[in-house]
Amino acid sequence: MAILALSLSSVPSILLAALGLGFVIFIHELGHFAVAKWCDVNVERFSIGFGPVIWSRTWGETEYALSLIPFGGYVKMLGQDDMDPSQETDEDLAEDPRSYTAKSVPQRMAIISAGVIMNLLTSVLFFLFAFKLGVEFTPAVVGYTRPGDPAWVAGLRTGDEFTQVNGRTGRPLRFIDLRQEIALSSGDVHVKGIRRIYDGVKMTEEDFTTTLVPKTGDIIPTVGVAPSLGMRLPQAAEGEKATVTIPGTAAAKSTPPFEGGDEIVKIDEVDISGYADLQNVLARRRGQEVTFTVKRGKKGETPTTHEIKTPPNYFHTLGLKMDIGPITAIQQGSPATTAQPPLAVDDKITHIISETDGEREVGADLNALELPDYLATLHGQEIKIRVKRSTSGQEESIECTITPDDRPGWTETPMGPSVPLTIPAIGIGYQVMPLVLKVEEGSPAFGEVNRGGKPSFIKSIEFFPPISKEAEPITFDNKSEDPVNWAYAFWAMQQHPEAEVVLQISEQDSGQEYTTKKLTPQPRDQMGSEWYLPIRGIPLNMLTERRKAATYGESLSLAYNRTKSSLLEIYLTLRNLATGRVSPKALRGPLGIAETAYHFSEKGLGDLLWFLGLLSVSLAVLNFLPIPVLDGGHMVFLIWEGIRGKPASERVMIAANYVGLCFVLCLMLWVLSLDIFMHLLGWWKM
């Protein structure tokens, strides 16, 4: 969790967030207070916050107070005190007609439930005004699928737009709807959507249906999918002179240069309506200079149109040819599954055999990192892939006949240390081992790696300057059960083409270790052996849209449905917490709530009201859980009293309240520790 920046520009947002949070608590306690007064109960104190009173004023018989710990509030009535539960069984207090205990069970039920009812009513109002003002959301469009994870295995692609996720339907769906259905599911998640396809000539759309099997065992169930990027470049930081594009890439050499806030609308003659279009067109024209058409202009101004010419972007390499590792994942319905015989997990590709190039050995001849692009060039042809496969403890060589699809390589990138490199054309993910088989003569690493003329292991790679503030050397352990893929480090080179690297080497035969000098990756732009990246080095903002109701009637309908959905989501969250499908580490405490409120207030009043609506629903549900000291615990005792005709004994009331108080305090300490030690300081692992 980033610490909130206390700049002058942040102060209004912080104050707005604080007022919003305080108002939600105030509304809850106001419900208790109003109904208690209506039932003629003597309210001794109305407090926002707990603990020592820091400000108070008495009007009439009631003291109105602000207390030190701003994590809630309370209404103290005559004859009712959570810190002294014996008051509810005190016969003397019960004789006072204005005490809480002197009132009938239905009256006390009304008082106890009033806070929850007020929160539910105000949540509808919060959502109503939020929809009328407009709420920013991230559409349920796929921007990235993590290779090897369930979404990738199921065949989801960049640009896929969901129109149905389990029981939720509509267009547009929000990405958070998808995440919630996955996180709160008790099993598989069934999805439908629309896929955009570009064949190099035209864009087409087709419907798709698939089933996702969430991966459990982490904080929440996941499928490995991220939201899409939009078409707008981020604004440069205030006072920043550097280009908004990535230094050292083709985009940084564009003429005229890109500017912050530019919106991409066309590449050459192709209209671009989303990130998938951008990715597909650039991947298929990777070796060409392209012309971007962008719209430029400040908000409220009429945008102007500009054409920007951008040259090809080359892979930057050290000249290392790496050993290929085993296949680790296979996509459903891909050419790998329809091959004869099908490819299998743990196969190791050794040769590619085609009519075009004959037989090529993967490793010393055909670089393992170039396989995604190489097989894409063979699309539509029937080729053979020779693999080594272990069967019954013995290794054998098998030839698989396969026809690659027309899907460019390096469009599914290894964004994590152990994430496999994929070959989209055949639908597999595989490891690239940190074993250098050969070093190209004249390359940056020639004479620095494989000094003894034999293959050697890369133990680590370090970037200069560091690629992030927290960056440490990327280390490779070939004996690990979850090894770091060399492709991950190689992709980092492409994202930081101006960085130098230092390798720590271990010779395979002798075991001798040494460290190279600083090496500068060079672009693969030599005539006849060019290797083009499918991207140009243009950073983009996240894709967002704004939902705004046209009428108050529409807004009320949306608000009512949103409140119902929020209630269901909280129930499912509690259920999955109880069953262990969702980890308790997924919870956030008051610091997390405050940070989230600040985040929404930065976006605007409509977005803050949206969050306050969610918070109101959460407060209503959590307060009505059957836990002593909470409203739900009081309701349980009142139901018991209504059935038996008399209240529970003093001993039972005291014991239950202390157990409930201990539970609530432990829960508060737990979520506070998560806020501080996991999200703020990063000491605990997620």
Side-chain angles (χ1 to χ4, degrees):
M1 182 181 82
I3 298 175
L4 301 181
L6 298 178
S7 64
L8 288 176
S9 61
S10 301
V11 171
S13 296
I14 294 173
L15 290 176
L16 195 60
L19 287 172
L21 293 175
F23 184 69
V24 171
I25 297 169
F26 170 77
I27 285 294
H28 180 90
E29 300 306 330
L30 182 63
H32 292 309
F33 175 81
V35 177
K37 286 289 190 181
W38 181 62
C39 293
D40 195 30
V41 174
N42 180 6
V43 179
E44 297 175 338
R45 176 180 289 171
F46 182 108
S47 175
I48 300 299
F50 296 109
V53 174
I54 57 176
W55 176 90
S56 69
R57 180 164 295 181
T58 301
W59 282 286
E61 64 187 6
T62 304
E63 177 190 11
Y64 300 87
L66 290 176
S67 298
L68 182 63
I69 306 172
F71 298 156
Y74 63 92
V75 170
K76 170 67 177 67
M77 295 172 283
L78 179 65
Q80 192 276 328
D81 189 345
D82 291 332
M83 298 298 102
D84 184 11
S86 64
Q87 288 191 22
E88 296 196 36
T89 58
D90 190 311
E91 294 181 0
D92 292 335
L93 284 173
E95 292 179 0
D96 188 324
R98 299 200 63 217
S99 70
Y100 170 79
T101 50
K103 303 305 176 182
S104 66
V105 169
Q107 284 178 312
R108 281 179 281 160
M109 284 183 170
I111 294 169
I112 291 301
S113 61
V116 168
I117 293 171
M118 282 290 285
N119 279 135
L120 291 176
L121 291 175
T122 53
S123 70
V124 175
L125 291 176
F126 281 137
F127 286 133
L128 185 151
F129 289 112
F131 279 119
K132 196 66 182 73
L133 290 170
V135 177
E136 185 179 273
F137 71 98
T138 301
V141 178
V142 175
Y144 174 76
T145 56
R146 181 182 169 97
D149 275 11
W152 182 88
V153 171
L156 292 183
R157 303 181 187 180
T158 298
D160 285 354
E161 180 183 357
F162 297 98
T163 57
Q164 181 173 324
V165 183
N166 281 346
R168 299 196 192 201
T169 60
R171 191 180 185 191
L173 284 175
R174 302 174 306 151
F175 199 85
I176 195 171
D177 295 333
L178 172 67
R179 279 185 169 158
Q180 286 175 342
E181 288 293 337
I182 293 166
L184 303 179
S185 66
S186 58
D188 297 349
V189 177
H190 305 285
V191 300
K192 293 182 180 180
I194 298 170
R195 174 170 295 156
R196 287 179 63 81
I197 298 172
Y198 177 62
D199 60 6
V201 179
K202 64 182 183 301
M203 297 284 182
T204 57
E205 288 188 352
E206 65 179 31
D207 295 334
F208 71 89
T209 302
T210 191
T211 298
L212 305 176
V213 183
K215 183 172 63 175
T216 58
D218 206 342
I219 291 181
I220 59 173
T222 61
V223 297
V225 63
S228 178
L229 298 174
M231 289 295 94
R232 194 177 296 277
L233 276 70
Q235 293 287 351
E238 190 174 344
E240 186 177 341
K241 295 182 180 179
T243 175
V244 294
T245 51
I246 298 175
T249 63
K253 304 170 186 174
S254 299
T255 53
F258 285 94
E259 294 184 7
D262 283 352
E263 181 184 4
I264 299 170
V265 295
K266 185 181 287 189
I267 298 177
D268 294 334
E269 78 289 352
V270 183
D271 292 328
I272 302 299
S273 63
Y275 181 66
D277 295 355
L278 176 77
Q279 185 186 64
N280 286 327
V281 172
L282 289 180
R284 294 178 182 279
R285 304 186 184 196
R286 63 178 69 194
Q288 307 171 23
E289 179 183 77
V290 296
T291 300
F292 287 87
T293 301
V294 302
K295 287 184 178 180
R296 181 178 298 167
K298 295 181 180 180
K299 189 174 181 180
E301 297 179 354
T302 302
T304 56
T305 301
H306 301 263
E307 291 188 349
I308 300 173
K309 295 187 180 299
T310 305
N313 203 24
Y314 298 96
F315 275 94
H316 283 65
T317 76
L318 296 171
L320 307 176
K321 290 193 174 180
M322 315 300 292
D323 189 22
I324 191 170
I327 294 174
T328 60
I330 296 177
Q331 280 186 318
Q332 298 169 3
S334 66
T337 63
T338 57
Q340 296 297 323
L343 293 171
V345 170
D346 292 330
D347 283 353
K348 180 177 179 178
I349 299 174
T350 60
H351 296 79
I352 306 295
I353 306 165
S354 68
E355 290 186 3
T356 305
D357 295 334
E359 182 175 308
R360 297 192 66 181
E361 181 181 359
V362 178
D365 176 28
L366 182 60
N367 194 337
L369 292 166
E370 296 184 50
L371 274 182
D373 287 334
Y374 180 68
L375 286 174
T377 65
L378 301 176
H379 69 270
Q381 302 180 37
E382 186 178 276
I383 64 172
K384 295 184 183 297
I385 296 180
R386 188 176 300 155
V387 300
K388 285 183 180 179
R389 179 178 298 174
S390 293
T391 306
S392 301
Q394 293 189 343
E395 191 172 74
E396 59 180 327
S397 181
I398 296 176
E399 283 190 0
C400 303
T401 303
I402 189 170
T403 304
D405 285 339
D406 184 13
R407 293 187 61 194
W410 284 94
T411 53
E412 301 169 337
T413 52
M415 301 293 285
S418 58
V419 174
L421 178 61
T422 70
I423 304 178
I426 61 173
I428 67 166
Y430 64 102
Q431 293 292 115
V432 179
M433 308 304 291
L435 175 63
V436 182
L437 300 178
K438 184 179 179 181
V439 183
E440 296 175 359
E441 189 172 349
S443 67
F446 187 72
E448 289 290 326
V449 183
N450 290 12
R451 291 177 181 175
K454 297 291 181 67
S456 56
F457 287 102
I458 299 177
K459 296 193 67 178
S460 70
I461 178 171
E462 186 171 6
F463 289 81
F464 297 91
I467 56 180
S468 70
K469 292 180 180 179
E470 301 81 17
E472 295 181 356
I474 300 172
T475 58
F476 303 91
D477 180 2
N478 61 323
K479 298 179 182 178
S480 171
E481 293 183 1
D482 196 18
V484 176
N485 190 352
W486 171 255
Y488 168 66
F490 183 73
W491 183 247
M493 286 187 211
Q494 313 317 312
Q495 294 175 300
H496 305 274
E498 293 189 333
E500 297 179 303
V501 299
V502 170
L503 307 177
Q504 186 180 359
I505 304 296
S506 174
E507 296 289 352
Q508 187 179 33
D509 290 344
S510 66
Q512 179 184 356
E513 296 186 5
Y514 57 88
T515 302
T516 69
K517 66 181 182 182
K518 286 185 178 180
L519 307 176
T520 304
Q522 296 297 312
R524 262 276 297 275
D525 55 0
Q526 302 89 350
M527 184 70 70
S529 63
E530 298 93 342
W531 189 15
Y532 301 104
L533 270 163
I535 60 173
R536 302 287 167 123
I538 305 170
L540 296 167
N541 286 329
M542 193 68 67
L543 173 65
T544 59
E545 295 181 10
R546 185 159 287 275
R547 180 68 182 271
K548 187 175 181 179
T551 65
Y552 278 104
E554 180 189 358
S555 186
L556 179 60
S557 175
L558 291 170
Y560 175 72
N561 291 329
R562 181 65 256 167
T563 302
K564 285 199 307 180
S565 298
S566 299
L567 284 168
L568 178 61
E569 288 157 8
I570 295 168
Y571 160 73
L572 293 174
T573 300
L574 293 173
R575 182 198 67 181
N576 285 6
L577 281 167
T579 60
R581 192 171 173 87
V582 171
S583 168
K585 289 184 178 180
L587 299 174
R588 297 300 301 269
L591 298 182
I593 293 172
E595 183 202 17
T596 306
Y598 170 77
H599 168 74
F600 277 96
S601 67
E602 284 273 271
K603 291 184 175 182
L605 181 58
D607 297 277
L608 177 61
L609 290 173
W610 170 276
F611 171 71
L612 294 180
L614 294 177
L615 186 63
S616 293
V617 176
S618 302
L619 186 61
V621 173
L622 296 178
N623 258 286
F624 225 59
L625 292 177
I627 299 171
V629 310
L630 297 183
D631 294 342
H634 288 297
M635 187 62 71
V636 170
F637 281 123
L638 289 171
I639 292 172
W640 177 253
E641 182 179 344
I643 294 172
R644 294 178 70 239
K646 61 179 181 179
S649 68
E650 180 178 341
R651 185 172 65 178
V652 170
M653 293 278 286
I654 292 174
N657 272 37
Y658 282 136
V659 169
L661 182 62
C662 181
F663 175 81
V664 171
L665 288 175
C666 288
L667 180 62
M668 182 62 71
L669 289 173
W670 168 252
V671 294
L672 267 175
S673 63
L674 289 177
D675 280 347
I676 295 170
F677 298 113
M678 187 167 78
H679 298 288
L680 180 62
L681 301 177
W683 292 357
W684 290 357
K685 292 184 178 180
M686 295 290 284

